[in-house]
Amino acid sequence: MEWLREQKYRRIEDASEDEMNLLLSKVNRCPWRQTFHVQPVMGLLNDPNGFSFFNGEYHLFYQWHPLGPVHGLKYWYHTKSKDLVHWENAGIGLKPDAVFDRHGVYSGSANENDGKLHLFYTGNTRDENSVRHPYQCIAVMDSFGNISKLDKPVIDHAPSRYTEHFRDPKVWKDGNKFYAVIGAQRTDETGCAVLYSSLDLLEWTFEGEIGTELGRFGYMWECPDYFELQNHGVFIFSPQGLEPAGERYRNIYQAGYVLGGTLDLREKTLRHGPFAELDRGFDFYAPQTMVDPAGRRILIGWMGLPEIDYPTDPSGWAHCLTLPRELTVHGGKLIQQPVRELQTLRKKEARAADTIFNDAKRYEGFTGAAYELICEFATGDAAEFGIEFRAGDKNKTVVKYDAVQKKVILDRTLSGEPTGVEYGTVRAC
Ligand code: FRU
């Protein structure tokens, strides 16, 4: 169903209790509600925002359109956790209720300063001709969880060489200075990221564009994130407008990184290797990272993509976040592993061992909607081997290794409700 502009920009405050209850019961009847991924109570979730550790807890916000599974008026929804496994819904974090964010509290990040969590975000506004005017804004959360916005934006326009596609500030501290990377589009409609600095978080100085070796690389870079890990500089961003290239860039938009030397803050340049996608599967976008008290760099992404219909839409909700992944650098690559805390979810264990040749074997005792599966294959000279999940008469989801082509293949052609089929139903790498 197409939503009209007025419907998309309706505020949650204007929805009646009956309407909300109706939507909620529709959502709760959906057979695809998640069991351990962060998901919206109703409506649409997109980017993770403000991922941080503050006052003894992990805080994780996300982009939220409450009233249905469309990209309408965006709020920040707040969740928190003590262990990165069990998340508690803490209610709306930021509402689009100021002149400078009236058409959406867009993505951003969090940073602790002076005992308060500072939330940086883009205030999205559109004028009477529907032209965007983005503002970079700050809200402050105290140790009681009260959040208040500053009364005006800290950056109120993009420098002249950039268009109104200027958003998603990611802030970090280096020495006594704060830095922010912001996703941008040059006036020639190519994507890039720019750097700002500040001593007090209030006055921000435009330092310039971050120089990479990527040249013309898509028309917009969303959700940039820069950090240092094991003496490498890692720059993550979500470029839009890359053409598919072989098995790469098959999704509508990409999310990936370049790895190299650390960012020279004076020259604003990065020397780096090739761009690599963070996830070669189907539904992954706009990730964000944080460092936890143990010094781990942890990433969470949006498990979904813009401009695609999802099977949960008719049930009034869409998308969830990925599990938290710990990042390390190994062999010139970023390695992502589920945080070890997730092992606390393990309950009953079942084991099976077999020798199978040119055949498939069905395992009983591995039923259920949520489980962790650890498989080891002694492959011999098999041309391919793998697993079929949810395999029945009509449906199956296949993960296999093609030893001839040396490719890992994920095939969801027969997974059930078709999703984003115009972007293909198989991924390989
Ligand atoms: C990425 C994105 C961001 C923007 C937000 C709006 O998915 O488009 O660039 O801030 O979503 O919801």
Side-chain angles (χ1 to χ4, degrees):
M1 189 190 78
E2 264 312 308
W3 286 49
L4 299 173
R5 198 186 136 76
E6 303 87 82
Q7 291 172 314
K8 284 189 179 172
Y9 282 87
R10 263 184 80 216
R11 316 179 59 81
I12 190 171
E13 299 83 352
D14 297 334
S16 70
E17 218 180 297
D18 283 354
E19 178 184 347
M20 298 287 282
N21 287 337
L22 214 62
L23 183 55
L24 203 57
S25 64
K26 188 156 99 171
V27 171
N28 291 335
R29 284 197 306 273
C30 179
W32 297 305
R33 292 300 282 167
Q34 300 295 301
T35 50
F36 49 84
H37 291 73
V38 171
Q39 65 185 344
V41 283
M42 57 171 71
L44 178 142
L45 163 159
N46 57 301
D47 315 354
N49 294 154
F51 187 22
S52 51
F53 188 87
F54 171 66
N55 205 25
E57 289 177 306
Y58 292 94
H59 293 270
L60 175 61
F61 301 80
Y62 56 77
Q63 287 285 285
W64 188 44
H65 174 254
L67 296 179
V70 293
H71 288 272
L73 188 62
K74 295 289 170 71
Y75 293 65
W76 274 34
Y77 193 87
H78 184 194
T79 64
K80 47 189 189 168
S81 172
K82 292 212 183 338
D83 60 5
L84 290 171
V85 179
H86 303 92
W87 293 90
E88 179 193 325
N89 282 338
I92 293 174
L94 292 170
K95 291 180 184 173
D97 58 3
V99 274
F100 47 80
D101 60 23
R102 63 184 183 276
H103 294 116
V105 181
Y106 273 13
S107 285
S109 56
N111 208 283
E112 185 176 344
N113 189 41
D114 278 344
K116 295 206 163 121
L117 192 68
H118 287 66
L119 310 175
F120 302 84
Y121 68 94
T122 299
N124 180 49
T125 68
R126 284 180 187 268
D127 66 18
E128 52 293 350
N129 302 316
S130 212
V131 176
R132 280 177 202 263
H133 296 276
Y135 297 96
Q136 314 311 316
C137 314
I138 294 183
V140 178
M141 184 168 93
D142 66 19
S143 54
F144 301 104
N146 301 316
I147 301 177
S148 47
K149 291 180 187 171
L150 300 195
D151 57 10
K152 59 179 201 309
V154 289
I155 300 173
D156 64 5
H157 64 277
S160 59
R161 292 195 301 282
Y162 305 94
T163 73
E164 73 282 7
H165 289 288
F166 194 76
R167 54 180 174 268
D168 312 335
K170 176 80 199 291
V171 175
W172 75 96
K173 197 170 185 186
D174 189 289
N176 64 343
K177 257 192 178 177
F178 294 94
Y179 290 90
V181 270
I182 299 180
Q185 180 183 60
R186 303 183 190 102
T187 44
D188 69 357
E189 296 191 1
T190 55
C192 65
V194 299
L195 185 70
Y196 277 75
S197 72
S198 172
L199 284 168
D200 61 1
L201 295 175
L202 299 175
E203 292 284 322
W204 287 87
T205 307
F206 176 58
E207 295 280 347
E209 195 175 303
I210 295 184
T212 68
E213 294 158 20
L214 294 167
R216 299 172 73 87
F217 197 70
Y219 60 78
M220 170 64 191
W221 293 4
E222 298 190 303
C223 301
D225 189 349
Y226 173 76
F227 56 89
E228 289 168 11
L229 189 60
Q230 298 162 237
N231 299 321
H232 299 277
V234 183
F235 179 52
I236 290 180
F237 60 106
S238 295
Q240 297 180 306
L242 302 186
E243 288 299 324
E247 310 287 9
R248 293 181 301 140
Y249 314 156
R250 307 301 307 184
N251 293 336
I252 182 172
Y253 302 131
Q254 276 58 53
Y257 69 95
V258 292
L259 181 96
T262 55
L263 176 65
D264 181 334
L265 289 167
R266 216 151 354 134
E267 297 295 323
K268 277 98 51 190
T269 49
L270 265 178
R271 306 197 67 80
H272 58 82
F275 177 80
E277 283 168 86
L278 277 159
D279 197 303
R280 299 288 295 273
F282 294 94
D283 304 288
F284 182 87
Y285 198 61
Q288 186 172 93
T289 70
M290 58 87 76
V291 193
D292 83 343
R296 293 180 299 177
R297 176 63 63 171
I298 301 170
L299 174 145
I300 288 184
W302 165 23
M303 207 194 294
L305 283 166
E307 294 159 53
I308 287 179
D309 295 331
Y310 281 84
T312 60
D313 291 355
S315 301
W317 72 286
H319 312 309
C320 61
L321 298 178
T322 67
L323 295 179
R325 306 170 177 189
E326 181 178 353
L327 302 183
T328 49
V329 176
H330 206 79
K333 282 185 179 171
L334 214 46
I335 304 298
Q336 308 168 69
Q337 287 181 298
V339 293
R340 58 182 170 272
E341 287 89 330
L342 291 160
Q343 293 173 12
T344 60
L345 290 172
R346 290 176 181 166
K347 290 181 186 146
K348 219 171 67 194
E349 184 182 297
R351 283 172 181 263
D354 251 309
T355 308
I356 307 168
F357 288 112
N358 287 333
D359 203 358
K361 160 123 201 209
R362 208 182 170 100
Y363 292 95
E364 303 304 331
F366 290 83
T367 49
Y371 50 85
E372 178 184 0
L373 187 61
I374 299 174
C375 291
E376 282 177 29
F377 294 95
T379 62
D381 55 5
E384 63 172 38
F385 52 88
I387 313 160
E388 295 178 351
F389 296 91
R390 291 185 66 254
D393 295 344
K394 295 205 186 85
N395 288 166
K396 60 179 179 183
T397 297
V398 186
V399 182
K400 66 179 182 188
Y401 184 69
D402 179 330
V404 180
Q405 297 188 69
K406 293 193 169 27
K407 280 182 182 168
V408 177
I409 296 170
L410 169 59
D411 186 342
R412 69 174 184 189
T413 314
L414 299 176
S415 290
E417 290 287 321
T419 308
V421 283
E422 58 274 42
Y423 300 96
T425 57
V426 179
R427 291 289 182 273
C429 68

